[in-house]
Amino acid sequence: MTTGEPKRYHWGFIPRRGRWPKRWTDWIRLCLVVLLVATTALVARYAGTVADHVRCKDGWPGPEVWQSGDECVGLTQGPYAFELPAFEQVMRVIDQQNRSAAEQCDAEGVAVTVGVLLTMTDQYAGARAVHELEGVAAGQRRANGTGCLHPVRLLVGNIGAYGTSDAPVEVARKLAERPEVVAVAGIGLSDEQSARTADLFAGAKLPMVSDLITAGGFDQSGSREDQPDFRSCERDYSAGIGRDHYYRVAFRNAVQISRLGAAAPQRPAFIMVPTGGSDPYTCTALPMMQREFGGDITEVKFDPGESSTVPQTARRVCGVAGEVTVAYIARGLDLARFLFSLDEAYASGQCAASSVTVLSTSDGQRLRARELNPVLEDLRVKALGSASYRDGRVRLLSTLVGGADKAGPHNPGFTEFEQVFTDSGFDPSHIDAGWAVNAYDAMTTVAAALRTLPTGQAVHRSEVNTAISGFSAPDQAVLGAGGPITFDNSGNRTGDGPPVVHVCPLAPDSDSDSDSEPGRVRSVEVRQGEPLPRC
């Protein structure tokens, strides 16, 4: 029997002191044990993180794309589309435009990167998120065209769906830490996490032009001049967000509600509102709507998490005889179901109202976009193609999220936008719901600021911010697709506010007499003091 082994090692792998350092090979066993322990510890600590990255990107994981819950989030310059087929085309376009950014620009111009922050998957966005990113891409195409001084590359940040995860803020943090990013377009929806994101960007001195946020309190002053009431909300937004660095091209809810008040055929009998106060889009709009129409309007509540409560509200509205007006202060996610429920009540002879006119802020424009979710798309088609909607017993009047949905005397830039959008290879029907328009205008605002800065010099965030804040008077306006863009000291868009439009029935595929292309939903403007227009 060999007795040398116990004399060489303690516990079979630690060399005995009396032998060291006679042979270096005595240390091999100890090194292997230490390596095994360290590897096991690292795997236990980071296995989930590594797996999250591997699931969301081909090849070895990078630090800027990861899995949050069931979806992929993070940053990309294209063509990676976060495993979302609906975004693959637009991400390929952005990738190509990033590669060719300098081809038409001043040879001495210093390239810049503009961040794009959006939710690609939140239920309140739907297919419009695709339109939004297409609008930004079209804005990039125009920015890098004739007159370009600084080539623009995009860095796209997908924050995922809003909820309990901190992914939106973490994606924003990684974006802010990129020194080459000089401005941000987008930043998200009217949500508590968007407020946190705006404050994070402001702390990094990063200017942001929001395209879709309309909620009260979501500006630099907390919408002080609108005298908001946050008692229905889970958070008080009176302190404002994004101090000194935040601007929005979407007209805020207070302005939209004022325009609805001027265009409404009569005082609403009901305000349809979701339960709870977690959504700032709805909880800040409710008191403004009550104040606009004199208060004491009956509030009909429904549960956004329980679809069966929506038809219940329709039955209550139908219990009133005569012409009924309903103010809809909720997300567009549930609007098609409400309109369809009204039509069902008419079809069954259970609606006493001679007509129902629904007044909605800008999220009502969602009905003009094809839904990615087949259930929601079925409801939308049935609602806008129903007999009661076609004959005018049910009508939807809605403000636009921006200044226009078609070319007109006040927005000649819309024609160029349509051309750039289609030249980029995007579906022109994606313009209808308004998100592409506002995203294009947000990007155009950043591009206009860059055009004020000299070539041959590095571009700094502070310079871009100063230039955007200077768009404050009519002769300094950015000529956007939705009309001239100027900002007040709170970062709110100024001007007359958005039009109120009558959302027309869906154009059927077989209707050769329709003025709209098959499958598209057009609108006609509602003018104060005039009869409601027919489509």
Side-chain angles (χ1 to χ4, degrees), residues 42-43 45-56 59-61 65:
L42 287 172
V43 169
R45 172 65 178 83
Y46 295 107
T49 300
V50 171
D52 287 346
H53 284 272
V54 170
R55 292 188 197 106
C56 288
W60 187 252
V65 176

Side-chain angles (χ1 to χ4, degrees), residues 56-94:
C56 288
K57 200 167 188 179
D58 293 336
W60 187 252
E64 296 185 323
V65 176
W66 68 95
Q67 183 164 357
S68 175
D70 295 329
E71 56 187 346
C72 299
V73 299
L75 304 175
T76 180
Q77 290 186 297
Y80 179 71
F82 299 96
E83 316 300 326
L84 300 169
F87 288 87
E88 289 177 355
Q89 180 194 8
V90 64
M91 288 309 305
R92 286 195 298 269
V93 170
I94 289 173

Side-chain angles (χ1 to χ4, degrees), residues 227-496:
Q227 299 179 326
D229 182 347
F230 300 112
R231 287 177 295 178
S232 298
C233 302
E234 292 183 0
R235 172 183 162 174
D236 188 331
Y237 296 95
S238 58
I241 66 173
R243 187 172 182 83
D244 297 328
H245 292 81
Y246 174 80
Y247 312 87
R248 53 178 170 178
V249 298
F251 287 101
R252 63 196 190 275
N253 280 348
V255 174
Q256 294 187 37
I257 290 170
S258 176
R259 295 302 300 267
L260 281 173
Q266 62 185 44
R267 184 177 186 269
F270 303 101
I271 294 181
M272 186 174 173
V273 61
T275 56
S278 61
D279 186 352
Y281 175 80
T282 58
C283 72
T284 62
L286 176 59
M288 292 179 183
M289 185 67 80
Q290 285 279 14
R291 187 170 62 210
E292 175 66 29
F293 291 102
D296 297 324
I297 302 174
T298 300
E299 296 177 11
V300 181
K301 295 182 181 284
F302 72 100
D303 186 347
E306 181 49 66
S307 58
S308 65
T309 60
V310 176
Q312 294 174 13
T313 64
R315 287 194 290 270
R316 186 170 181 186
V317 169
C318 279
V320 178
E323 297 181 350
V324 179
T325 297
V326 180
Y328 182 89
I329 303 298
R331 295 283 184 173
L333 176 70
D334 299 293
L335 182 53
R337 190 181 301 276
F338 177 59
L339 298 181
F340 177 60
S341 298
L342 290 172
D343 179 71
E344 285 188 313
Y346 274 117
S348 63
Q350 296 179 348
C351 194
S354 57
S355 68
V356 179
T357 300
V358 181
L359 308 177
S360 173
T361 43
S362 58
D363 212 50
Q365 293 289 309
R366 177 168 181 163
L367 269 67
R368 299 178 67 181
R370 292 183 178 92
E371 295 280 0
L372 297 176
N373 183 314
V375 174
L376 295 178
E377 176 61 7
D378 183 57
L379 281 169
R380 185 186 78 93
V381 170
K382 287 179 177 177
L384 295 184
S386 67
S388 63
Y389 203 84
R390 287 187 175 281
D391 64 25
R393 283 175 294 171
V394 177
R395 296 184 292 250
L396 172 61
L397 309 186
S398 172
T399 47
L400 301 179
V401 71
D405 62 352
K406 59 178 68 71
H410 78 293
N411 65 322
F414 198 95
T415 301
E416 181 183 14
F417 157 64
E418 284 184 302
Q419 188 64 54
V420 173
F421 194 83
T422 54
D423 287 348
S424 300
F426 304 139
D427 185 342
S429 72
H430 290 183
I431 292 173
D432 298 341
W435 281 27
V437 179
N438 270 35
Y440 175 87
D441 280 354
M443 185 65 227
T444 298
T445 300
V446 174
L450 293 172
R451 281 196 172 97
T452 69
L453 304 180
T455 58
Q457 299 179 19
V459 174
H460 301 287
R461 294 175 176 182
S462 59
E463 297 172 316
V464 179
N465 187 58
T466 299
I468 295 173
S469 68
F471 301 138
S472 57
D475 60 343
Q476 300 164 327
V478 177
L479 301 181
I485 299 169
T486 53
F487 304 106
D488 62 18
N489 289 333
S490 297
N492 289 312
R493 184 172 177 174
T494 58
D496 294 333

Side-chain angles (χ1 to χ4, degrees), residues 106-129:
D106 190 306
E108 296 183 359
V110 178
V112 299
T113 298
V114 175
V116 184
L117 200 69
L118 77 160
T119 168
M120 293 183 174
T121 55
D122 193 81
Q123 62 173 344
Y124 291 149
R128 295 175 299 174

Side-chain angles (χ1 to χ4, degrees), residues 161-247:
Y162 291 106
T164 58
S165 167
D166 283 334
V169 178
E170 288 308 308
V171 175
R173 191 183 314 279
K174 288 184 178 293
L175 183 61
E177 290 172 351
R178 294 282 289 265
E180 71 272 24
V181 176
V182 299
V184 177
I187 94 165
L189 308 181
S190 300
D191 187 272
E192 160 64 17
Q193 297 209 58
S194 295
R196 292 169 56 195
T197 293
D199 290 338
L200 185 154
F201 284 153
K205 309 299 183 185
L206 184 58
M208 66 209 94
V209 182
S210 167
D211 51 357
L212 303 172
I213 293 175
T214 63
F218 279 61
D219 53 31
Q220 296 182 41
S221 68
S223 301
R224 185 169 50 246
E225 67 182 72
D226 298 327
Q227 299 179 326
D229 182 347
F230 300 112
R231 287 177 295 178
S232 298
C233 302
E234 292 183 0
R235 172 183 162 174
D236 188 331
Y237 296 95
S238 58
I241 66 173
R243 187 172 182 83
D244 297 328
H245 292 81
Y246 174 80
Y247 312 87

